Amino acid sequence: MLDNLLHKGRRKKLVETIKNKGISDERVLDAIGKIPRHLFMESFLDKVAYEDRAQPIASGQTISQPYTVAFQTQLLEIERGDKVLEIGTGSGYQTAVLIELGTKVYSIERQRNLYEQTRVFLPKLGYSANLFWGDGYKGKSMYAPFDKILITAGAPFLPPELLTQLKIGGILVAPIGENEQVMYSVKRTGEDSFEQKECGYFRFVPLLEGVK
Ligand code: SAH
């Protein structure tokens, strides 16, 4: 698993690119600058791995665009030690970004083969997360409440079960919509009260119900 000077150079440029697009959280930029993104995808994508674009991974899914990963992470207002629930593990790249920020990550993936692949891969890079094969719509009540919840697939609506698993004072970030999604940042302000902000348009693969 090689991370050579070319990769490092391209990664540095990628950090500049997303900084110029408006990402200002230095911790997020540092994480992107540190993680060997090319290793999260197949080797034929090596040359394009540091372009600011989504790329295909197994099972018809995608590793999100670096800008989008950084944008969602920034919205989460991460603090060291946060307990974070991620829906849509995919390649594990976003998981690695969260771990770099000092969080404890619980991540759910509905596609069995992606789950198996990432479960073996992340520890090889030294990342330790709690990964689950399951339906993210249900969350993980056993480990709730979470300080932060992040959905990395386009959800048709805010999954109610996830809102109940958010700590009071916690933040949930989710792209909501069918073909195109509006990024929502939702803060739980009380037992039954939430404050939401709309943060622009994005495109994600869909959040599907059930497991595969
Ligand atoms: N965070 C990932 C992005 C992967 S794309 C990365 O950095 O690579 C979104 C992922 O969400 C896909 O892997 C898809 O299989 C998964 N997904 C879709 N619906 C889901 C659900 N209901 N529960 C869990 N994962 C789901």
Side-chain angles (χ1 to χ4, degrees):
M1 295 210 292
L2 193 68
D3 186 28
N4 65 28
L5 281 175
L6 266 178
H7 297 124
K8 290 189 167 90
R10 291 183 192 133
R11 197 149 69 232
K12 220 170 162 185
K13 275 196 189 143
L14 172 63
V15 171
E16 280 309 306
T17 303
I18 62 174
K19 201 171 174 178
N20 291 335
K21 287 184 180 173
I23 303 300
S24 55
D25 188 330
E26 290 293 337
R27 300 167 311 159
V28 176
L29 293 168
D30 285 350
I32 304 273
K34 195 166 164 197
I35 302 169
R37 186 172 192 259
H38 63 286
L39 299 177
F40 290 74
M41 47 190 103
E42 289 186 62
S43 53
F44 76 94
L45 293 167
D46 195 78
K47 285 208 170 62
V48 295
Y50 292 99
E51 289 178 8
D52 188 23
R53 305 164 73 103
Q55 299 292 352
I57 54 173
S59 310
Q61 302 305 310
T62 54
I63 173 170
S64 303
Q65 181 179 347
Y67 172 75
T68 305
V69 170
F71 188 81
Q72 287 198 290
T73 309
Q74 191 167 274
L75 282 179
L76 285 173
E77 299 176 18
I78 294 291
E79 285 172 34
R80 284 197 89 77
D82 272 355
K83 195 162 123 188
V84 185
L85 175 67
E86 178 192 20
I87 310 299
T89 315
S91 68
Y93 181 74
Q94 170 75 70
T95 314
V97 171
L98 293 167
I99 295 171
E100 284 289 348
L101 295 183
T103 67
K104 182 163 187 198
V105 185
Y106 296 77
S107 185
I108 308 175
E109 171 56 54
R110 75 179 280 275
Q111 300 256 10
R112 177 109 208 193
N113 66 326
L114 273 176
Y115 156 75
E116 296 286 0
Q117 216 174 294
T118 302
R119 191 173 58 133
V120 173
F121 172 70
L122 277 180
K124 287 188 186 160
L125 292 187
Y127 293 118
S128 144
N130 304 283
L131 304 182
F132 305 92
W133 175 50
D135 181 357
Y137 276 95
K138 302 196 175 98
K140 268 283 160 228
S141 56
M142 224 176 119
Y143 298 100
F146 298 95
D147 298 295
K148 309 286 158 65
I149 299 179
L150 173 60
I151 306 182
T152 71
F157 51 82
L158 276 171
E161 186 55 39
L162 296 184
L163 291 173
T164 69
Q165 293 180 19
L166 187 62
K167 206 176 258 183
I168 293 174
I171 297 174
L172 175 147
V173 170
I176 305 294
E178 304 278 348
N179 296 320
E180 192 176 40
Q181 294 84 32
V182 174
M183 192 68 76
Y184 278 87
S185 164
V186 182
K187 188 164 194 171
R188 186 169 195 178
T189 50
E191 194 54 48
D192 296 310
S193 55
F194 297 87
E195 264 172 28
Q196 61 185 48
K197 277 191 301 193
E198 293 184 16
C199 309
Y201 289 90
F202 291 83
R203 251 177 222 280
F204 285 79
V205 293
L207 186 73
L208 300 170
E209 291 198 48
V211 291
K212 193 155 186 278

